[in-house]
């Protein structure tokens, strides 16, 4: 049979296609706008491949089902939006402590509280900084297109498995709801069967997973091991796209829908002769420190401008990455509003005209 | 269940020595003297051994005094978040159709923080057996009130005794579960005498046998002593359980069905690439163009930005999808962004479609729009300002008057889309009527060379692509398209 591999899909659907092509065995979720199509398409597609789809009774249950499936050595995913992610946090901390891989999709909406269903990027702190208890990190992919949603769904599993840690696909309402044409990757032929799964034995003893360490020294050792792993991830897995950064006086920093707007702003400003560029983190943990540092020390760039649908969350990581060596500005909208290309462009021009503006 | 003799000594399901237990004590369990958990562990171990399923059993440890059950059982083990064992168990049971899942939970864990997870798993008839240790208190955290603490019973958080006015009545878990259809087996037992322990042993064996026979969801509630926190000795606590607890929580079998009303079939995921492709990849239809095909008309040299707006039910979003699909079929990069959410519910609806040969930046259209399709006056008023000076306006003249106050630079076309669609018997095809009109406009004014011939074909292909399996819908939309095309007057 001959197939096409090009489809017009919503971001929320593409991430499910990517996951299924990566061999994801199970999806557990609870409906929430604007992430619902992640559950809808999972419900439609997983059973067709004899894989598990279950609408859980809550996000708490869903993520705990994920723990079960992952402990059993399966590739498993859940998806939600901010409120549901808040509920999942305890179990995400456990996943990190168990060192269990799992993929969590967060299609961010307006907050705090019930907020609204329009796009925001204000889950950055709770997702990137370890929103649950204890010192842990998760891998965080930040797709800016429907193709990248598919690619993230496809690649997240193997990276989570490589480091045995949970990972987020952090997108916003626009990236989740928009449709674009997507080229599907080939179905994986890799057979996932981790030896640590709890149905296996190690030295004749049944495996077990726990997160409790009563002795302080044991728990400290455990934490050191985790931190060591996070440092390795930070060292090896940074990922970013540079767009006209080479000679840029001003570099916009943005991910997700903000990056799409920044991209248009940069293109239009370049046509008018302004030396602007964009650094787009494709992952925000690990944060692309090296790329930012290099730009900051290029001698060409005078300032950065973060574009966020949050009052400034990612900007903290930008400042840390460049050790506040250059001014870092912020343009943002909230409540589901999206900054216009014109707004961003004006702000960029103002900063360039002010020779980079004040140091942050 | 054949063997009925009691085994002495340690079950082989336990480790010989408890090396997983930190500190110097490796022979004994960590439970207090007189604690029910130890006896219960033993009974469960024996039942697993009797059924010969040790190698395929996973025991979920709760948060509570039994959090360390993996010190003792040489079975798959996982110590999960407080109250969530049945949810973790669901993930395990669904993933492991050949293995056996036991959830071991205290009363705080199961009936307070985890009541929802527990009831829902019971209600789904998950393939698992739950051993529910009702010791009427929170043992691990130092004897606080539990959902099963009796009225008047003193704990550190009910120092004057549990007060119904403040704390409500204790929860009768077996009785509650007995209202659900799915569970196969529900029994409450105690550990206060040899006879009762023998009955408990029987119940536990039954629940483990049910696992092996894949019968579904079993629950055994065990009234269990926590002498330390109840500040009693072995004798007085047994009297407390027999005389007070058992009165509120009567012992006995509530249900023992031959099979569950809910049947879960073993799920064996399909991974072979050919089957995966068959489900996920679209079949090759006889549509589309070669991968190096390029429309030649000048208008396609730049990004084309289209806004479609009206109210829900007019096919606004699908009109956008048709355009995006046409673009996709002609090798353009496309974006389609809907207004989503409450607006959809009966209110206004709009979508933005961008076609480009290059990477598309923002999918949001708030300026530089090349084409506005307005299906209501409100939509027109709201989005007219986004249109470029030479941008084209197409509006539905069956619902709107000829727009005034519109700059002369805008080419404006009215089409009676709703009327024509109604005439064809379905409001739903108003969007295809618009597409027909658009075809006439574009061919007359904007398309060049072979593109003039290609537009209608691209539309038909898009309709086939969108409605692949619905020939009636395809026919209706194509018919509407040509009606729309006919109706445009220049
Ligand atoms: C989310 C969360 N809340 C509270 C606790 C503290 N905690 C640990 S055990 C426990 C109560 C356990 O009581 P029960 O389930 O009756 O088990 P028992 O120790 O009596 O066997 C509590 C509240 C916790 N570990 N996690
Ligand atoms: S506190 Fe109570 S339940 Fe916990 S081990 Fe001691 S006696 Fe057993
Ligand atoms: Mg208890």
């Amino acid at each position: 049979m001959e197939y096409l591999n090009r489809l017009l899909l919503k971001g929320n659907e593409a991430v499910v296609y990517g996951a299924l092509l990566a061999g994801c065995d199970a999806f557990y979720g609870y409906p929430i706008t604007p992430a619902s199509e992640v559950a809808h398409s999972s419900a439609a597609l997983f059973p067709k491949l004899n894989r598990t789809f279950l609408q859980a009774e809550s996000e708490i249950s869903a993520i705990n089902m994920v723990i079960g499936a992952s402990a059993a050595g399966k590739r498993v995913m859940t998806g939600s939006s901010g409120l549901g992610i808040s509920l999942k946090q305890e179990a995400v901390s456990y996943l990190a402590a168990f060192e269990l891989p799992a993929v969590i999709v967060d299609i961010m909406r307006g907050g705090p509280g019930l907020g609204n269903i329009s796009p925001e990027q204000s889950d950055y702190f709770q997702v990137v900084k370890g929103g649950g208890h204890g010192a842990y990190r998760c891998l965080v992919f930040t797709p800016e297109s429907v193709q990248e949603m598919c690619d993230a769904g496809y690649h997240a599993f193997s990276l989570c498995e490589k480091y045995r840690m949970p990972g987020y696909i952090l997108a916003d309402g626009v990236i989740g709801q928009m449709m674009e044409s997507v080229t599907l990757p080939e179905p994986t032929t890799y057979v996932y069967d981790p030896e640590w799964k709890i149905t296996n034995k190690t030295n004749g003893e049944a495996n077990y997973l726990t997160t409790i360490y009563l002795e302080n020294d044991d728990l400290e050792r455990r934490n050191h091991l985790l931190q060591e792993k996070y440092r390795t991830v930070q060292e090896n897995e940074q990922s970013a796209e540079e767009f006209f950064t080479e000679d840029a006086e001003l570099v916009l920093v943005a991910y997700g829908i903000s990056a799409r707007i920044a991209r248009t702003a940069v293109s239009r400003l370049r046509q008018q002769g302004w030396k602007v560029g964009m650094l787009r983190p494709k992952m925000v943990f690990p944060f692309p420190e090296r790329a930012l540092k290099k730009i900051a020390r290029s001698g060409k760039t005078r300032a950065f401008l973060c574009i966020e649908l949050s009052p400034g969350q990612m900007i903290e990581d930008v400042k840390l990455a460049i050790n506040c060596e250059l001014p870092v500005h912020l343009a943002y909208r909230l409540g589901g509003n999206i900054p216009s290309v014109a707004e961003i462009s004006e702000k960029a021009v103002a900063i360039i005209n002010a020779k980079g503006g004040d140091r942050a | 269940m054949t063997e009925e003799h009691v085994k002495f000594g340690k079950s082989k399901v336990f480790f010989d020595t408890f090396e997983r237990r930190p500190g110097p004590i490796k022979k004994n369990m960590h439970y207090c003297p007189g604690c029910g958990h130890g006896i219960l562990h033993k009974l469960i171990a024996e039942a697993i051994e009797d059924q010969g399923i040790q190698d395929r059993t996973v025991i979920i440890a709760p948060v509570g005094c039994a959090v360390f059950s993996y010190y003792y059982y040489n079975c798959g083990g996982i110590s999960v978040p407080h109250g969530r064992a049945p949810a973790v168990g669901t993930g395990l049971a669904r993933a492991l159709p050949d293995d056996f899942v036991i959830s071991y939970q205290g009363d705080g864990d199961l009936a307070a923080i985890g009541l929802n997870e527990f009831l829902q798993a019971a209600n789904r008839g998950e393939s698992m057996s739950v051993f529910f240790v009702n010791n009427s208190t929170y043992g691990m955290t130092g004897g606080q009130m539990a959902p099963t603490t009796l009225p008047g019973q003193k704990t550190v958080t009910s120092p004057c005794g549990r007060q119904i006015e403040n704390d409500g009545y204790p929860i009768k878990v077996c009785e509650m579960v007995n209202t659900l259809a799915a569970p196969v087996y529900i029994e409450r037992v105690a550990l206060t005498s040899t006879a009762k322990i023998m009955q408990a042993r029987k119940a536990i064996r039954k629940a483990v046998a049910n696992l092996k026979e894949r019968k579904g969801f079993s629950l055994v509630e065990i009234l269990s002593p926590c002498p330390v926190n109840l500040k009693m000795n072995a004798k007085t606590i047994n009297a407390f359980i027999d005389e007070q607890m058992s009165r509120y929580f009567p012992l006995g079998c509530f249900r023992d069905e031959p099979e569950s009303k809910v049947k879960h079939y073993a799920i064996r995921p399909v991974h072979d690439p050919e089957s995966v492709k068959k489900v996920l990849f679209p079949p090759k239809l006889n549509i589309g163009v070669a991968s190096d095909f390029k429309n030649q008309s000048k208008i396609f040299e730049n990004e084309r930005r289209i806004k479609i707006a009206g109210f829900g039910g007019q096919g606004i979003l699908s009109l956008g999808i048709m355009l995006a699909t046409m673009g996709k079929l002609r090798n353009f990069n496309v974006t389609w962004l809907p207004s989503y959410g409450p607006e959809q519910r009966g209110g206004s609806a709009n979508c933005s479609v961008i076609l480009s040969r290059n990477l598309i930046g923002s999918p949001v259209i708030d300026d530089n729009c090349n084409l506005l399709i307005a299906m209501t006056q409100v939509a027109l008023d709201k989005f007219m300002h986004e249109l470029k000076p030479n941008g084209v306006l197409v509006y539905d003249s069956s619902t709107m008057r000829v727009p005034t106050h519109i700059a002369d630079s805008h080419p404006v076309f009215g089409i009676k889309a709703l009327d024509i669609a109604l005439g064809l018997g379905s409001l739903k095809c108003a969007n295809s009527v618009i597409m027909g009109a658009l075809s006439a406009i574009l061919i007359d004014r904007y398309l060049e060379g072979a593109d003039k011939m290609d537009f209608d074909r691209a539309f038909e292909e898009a309709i086939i692509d969108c409605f692949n399996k619905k020939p009636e819908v395809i026919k209706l939309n194509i018919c509407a398209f040509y009606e729309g095309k006919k109706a445009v007057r220049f």
Side-chain angles (χ1 to χ4, degrees):
Chain A
M1 177 105 180
E2 271 201 278
Y3 300 105
L4 295 170
N5 64 354
R6 212 157 160 74
L7 276 174
L8 192 64
L9 290 176
K10 282 191 167 193
N12 283 342
E13 298 164 338
V15 71
V16 173
Y17 275 77
L20 283 165
L21 290 165
C24 182
D25 291 291
F27 181 93
Y28 294 99
Y30 188 83
I32 185 169
T33 317
S36 287
E37 295 85 357
V38 180
H40 299 175
S41 49
S42 295
L45 296 172
F46 274 70
K48 286 191 183 159
L49 290 166
N50 251 357
R51 306 188 192 176
T52 302
F53 168 84
L54 184 64
Q55 180 169 327
E57 55 272 18
S58 70
E59 289 86 350
I60 298 175
S61 295
I63 189 75
N64 280 282
M65 290 167 185
V66 165
I67 289 180
S70 180
K74 300 290 176 181
R75 288 192 155 169
V76 57
M77 181 163 93
T78 182
S80 190
S81 185
L83 300 76
I85 300 296
S86 304
L87 283 179
K88 289 181 195 289
Q89 293 290 12
E90 181 202 29
V92 177
S93 165
Y94 273 80
L95 278 167
F98 281 132
E99 296 196 272
L100 283 176
V103 175
I104 306 159
V105 181
D106 180 6
I107 307 297
M108 291 181 280
R109 57 185 258 175
L114 199 51
N116 66 23
I117 60 171
S118 303
E120 256 196 29
Q121 295 179 316
S122 299
D123 286 357
Y124 188 93
F125 282 164
Q126 76 154 331
V127 164
V128 181
K129 303 292 176 176
H133 58 290
Y136 72 91
R137 306 303 297 260
C138 298
L139 297 166
V140 186
F141 296 81
T142 47
E144 65 142 12
S145 65
V146 177
Q147 182 68 54
E148 284 193 359
M149 285 290 272
C150 179
D151 297 346
Y154 191 69
H155 293 298
F157 289 95
S158 50
L159 204 61
C160 289
E161 284 150 19
K162 178 175 176 190
Y163 292 102
R164 288 193 57 183
M165 59 195 285
Y168 280 96
I169 295 172
L170 183 66
D172 50 77
V174 175
I175 300 297
Q177 291 296 327
M178 72 192 275
M179 276 190 174
E180 291 183 300
S181 29
V182 179
T183 304
L184 298 178
E186 285 292 300
T188 185
T189 50
Y190 171 73
V191 178
Y192 175 59
D193 189 19
E195 55 190 41
W196 48 257
K197 68 183 183 185
I198 60 173
T199 46
N200 273 355
K201 291 185 175 175
T202 307
N203 303 326
E205 271 186 23
N207 285 348
Y208 71 103
L209 286 166
T210 189
T211 62
I212 184 168
Y213 296 87
L214 287 185
E215 302 291 335
N216 298 356
D217 288 346
D218 288 346
L219 185 56
E220 187 176 49
R221 244 191 314 278
R222 180 88 192 125
N223 266 286
H224 281 319
L225 282 175
L226 288 177
Q227 294 305 319
E228 181 66 38
K229 172 167 82 176
Y230 302 146
R231 276 192 293 277
T232 309
V233 170
Q234 180 61 47
E235 190 54 33
N236 295 344
E237 305 296 341
Q238 294 179 33
S239 172
E241 179 204 345
E242 296 190 37
F243 185 63
F244 290 107
T245 49
E246 209 134 89
D247 60 344
E249 285 177 55
L250 176 72
V251 171
L252 277 51
V253 188
Y255 69 96
I257 182 57
S258 303
R260 295 293 290 265
I261 296 161
R263 189 184 295 282
T264 300
V266 168
S267 303
R268 289 192 192 171
L269 288 168
R270 279 276 168 183
Q271 277 172 11
Q272 296 161 22
W274 297 98
K275 289 193 169 164
V276 293
M278 172 175 73
L279 184 286
R280 176 175 74 90
K282 291 181 169 182
M283 293 185 76
V284 288
F285 183 79
F287 200 73
E289 292 170 350
R290 263 196 302 271
L292 276 160
K293 224 173 265 168
K294 205 176 121 230
I295 294 169
R297 302 208 170 142
S298 65
K300 307 238 165 73
T301 302
R302 291 166 181 265
F304 291 92
L305 169 60
C306 294
I307 321 291
E308 297 190 56
L309 304 188
S310 89
Q313 297 190 341
M314 179 197 65
I315 192 173
E316 295 190 359
D317 283 335
V318 175
K319 288 181 178 181
L320 279 172
I322 63 158
N323 210 3
C324 293
E325 284 169 17
L326 291 177
V328 184
H329 303 268
L330 175 68
Y332 70 98
R333 293 294 303 271
L334 292 169
N337 288 318
I338 298 174
S340 67
V341 170
E343 251 174 288
I344 302 298
S345 308
E346 266 166 45
K347 179 124 188 177
V349 168
I351 294 167
I352 296 173
N353 284 339
K355 308 253 177 268
D358 290 334
R359 184 150 299 223
Chain B
M1 289 218 302
T2 46
E3 301 164 82
E4 267 306 326
H5 62 273
V6 182
K7 288 207 187 75
F8 295 97
K10 203 183 265 175
S11 163
K12 283 205 285 290
V13 171
F14 285 138
F15 290 112
D16 289 335
T17 53
F18 304 137
E19 301 299 330
R20 290 176 177 177
R21 187 176 177 192
I25 306 168
K26 307 288 187 193
K27 284 270 178 209
N28 298 331
M29 291 190 174
H30 69 284
Y31 299 111
C32 312
C35 174
H37 281 302
I39 309 172
L40 193 55
H41 278 25
K42 187 165 174 286
L43 296 177
I44 294 171
E46 286 174 6
I48 294 171
E49 190 177 348
D50 284 353
Q51 293 298 329
I53 58 170
Q54 175 177 7
D55 286 346
R56 278 156 56 199
T57 299
V58 176
I59 302 177
I60 308 174
V63 175
C65 282
V67 65
F68 297 117
S69 69
Y70 56 84
Y71 285 174
Y72 313 118
Y73 292 103
N74 192 0
C75 293
I78 181 167
S79 176
V80 304
H82 194 19
R84 316 302 174 205
V88 176
T90 299
L92 283 165
R94 303 275 178 133
L96 301 169
D98 301 316
D99 295 76
F100 307 103
V101 178
I102 288 175
S103 172
Y104 187 110
Q105 299 181 261
D107 40 20
D109 194 79
L110 180 145
I113 192 167
L115 186 62
N116 190 23
E117 284 78 0
F118 166 71
L119 281 179
Q120 304 277 356
N123 189 52
R124 287 190 300 266
E126 295 294 342
S127 182
M128 68 174 84
S129 288
V130 178
F131 297 114
F132 167 42
V133 184
N134 176 355
N135 57 10
S136 82
T137 190
Y138 284 20
M140 190 188 214
T141 39
Q144 294 85 358
M145 185 179 66
T148 47
T149 298
L150 296 181
Q153 185 182 337
K154 285 187 181 164
T155 70
V156 287
T157 50
S158 57
C160 305
R162 181 183 189 129
Q163 293 180 323
I164 301 311
E165 315 77 61
N166 195 52
D167 309 314
Y169 284 96
I171 292 179
K172 299 184 181 189
V173 169
C174 285
E175 287 81 348
M176 201 185 250
V177 174
N178 200 22
T179 65
L180 305 175
V184 279
Y185 176 54
I186 308 166
E187 178 152 354
R188 184 184 286 126
V189 297
L191 303 170
T192 48
S193 66
T194 311
K196 296 227 168 85
I197 291 176
M198 291 308 285
Q199 182 57 35
R201 179 172 170 273
K202 232 167 112 184
I204 287 161
R205 283 162 145 255
K206 170 130 207 145
V208 174
N210 283 352
L211 269 186
K212 192 174 175 190
E213 291 160 32
R214 301 252 168 253
K215 280 197 177 169
F217 190 91
S218 300
L219 167 69
V220 180
E221 173 174 346
I222 301 101
L223 304 187
S224 176
C226 173
V228 171
N229 283 308
L230 271 64
K231 300 184 179 59
M232 296 182 195
N233 60 32
K235 212 166 167 182
T236 50
I237 196 143
N238 278 348
F240 169 77
I241 292 172
D242 281 340
E243 286 155 29
Q244 298 184 46
M245 277 186 86
S246 306
R247 201 170 329 138
Y248 194 90
F249 301 111
L251 304 185
C253 179
F254 293 80
R255 183 184 298 180
D256 185 4
E257 307 267 352
E259 61 182 50
S260 174
K261 293 198 178 71
V262 177
K263 199 100 202 122
H264 293 291
Y265 295 96
I267 292 183
R268 303 194 190 280
V270 172
H271 285 285
D272 87 274
E274 200 46 40
S275 310
V276 173
K277 275 186 151 178
K278 198 170 166 187
V279 169
L280 298 179
F281 285 48
K284 200 165 181 153
L285 298 172
N286 220 357
I287 59 177
V289 289
S291 58
D292 58 354
F293 173 89
K294 258 178 129 173
N295 290 88
Q296 294 304 319
S297 311
K298 261 197 226 67
I299 59 159
F300 294 127
E301 277 167 18
N302 293 320
E303 191 170 278
R304 291 294 113 187
R305 300 158 66 84
I306 304 159
K307 174 72 71 71
I308 306 145
F311 60 76
Q314 283 180 320
I316 300 294
L317 301 187
S318 17
L319 175 45
I321 292 176
M322 287 175 195
L323 278 164
T325 306
M326 288 173 72
K328 178 197 78 168
L329 290 170
R330 291 298 177 265
N331 299 338
F332 286 97
N333 291 321
V334 295
T335 63
W336 170 92
L337 177 67
S339 58
Y340 64 88
E343 281 191 7
Q344 272 175 331
R345 290 173 207 126
S348 64
N350 72 74
C351 65
S352 304
V353 176
I354 301 176
L355 281 74
S356 175
R357 292 209 201 286
N358 302 317
L359 210 59
I360 300 172
S362 172
V364 180
I365 296 182
D366 49 18
D367 62 8
N368 285 327
C369 183
N370 302 106
L371 168 64
L372 171 63
I373 299 173
M375 304 278 277
T376 61
Q377 190 62 46
V378 176
L380 181 92
D381 295 343
K382 189 165 171 194
F383 296 112
M384 194 58 209
H385 72 96
E386 294 176 2
L387 211 50
K388 270 186 145 171
N390 59 350
V392 176
L393 169 67
V394 176
Y395 71 97
D396 185 352
S397 51
S398 48
T399 58
M400 296 153 66
R401 260 172 284 140
V402 185
T404 48
H405 313 297
I406 287 184
D408 289 343
S409 61
H410 294 298
V412 177
F413 303 93
I415 170 84
K416 292 194 173 302
L418 277 185
D419 285 352
I420 294 171
L422 267 180
L424 291 168
S426 171
L427 270 180
K428 276 196 185 146
C429 62
N431 47 18
S432 290
V433 176
I434 295 271
M435 287 298 301
L438 199 58
S439 162
I441 297 162
L442 290 176
I443 290 171
D444 189 62
R445 308 264 173 114
Y446 299 96
L447 295 178
E448 301 162 40
D451 290 354
K452 282 182 190 283
M453 300 296 293
D454 188 51
F455 189 92
D456 295 0
R457 192 166 57 227
F459 172 79
E460 290 190 21
E461 290 181 7
I463 287 293
I464 292 167
D465 197 37
C466 292
F467 302 108
N468 183 10
K469 292 184 186 101
K470 296 179 188 152
E472 286 305 304
V473 183
I474 294 175
K475 224 170 96 188
L476 177 66
N477 280 282
I478 289 176
C479 175
F481 177 83
Y482 287 104
E483 287 301 316
K485 208 171 148 97
K486 268 197 301 203
V488 184
R489 270 179 307 249
F490 294 101

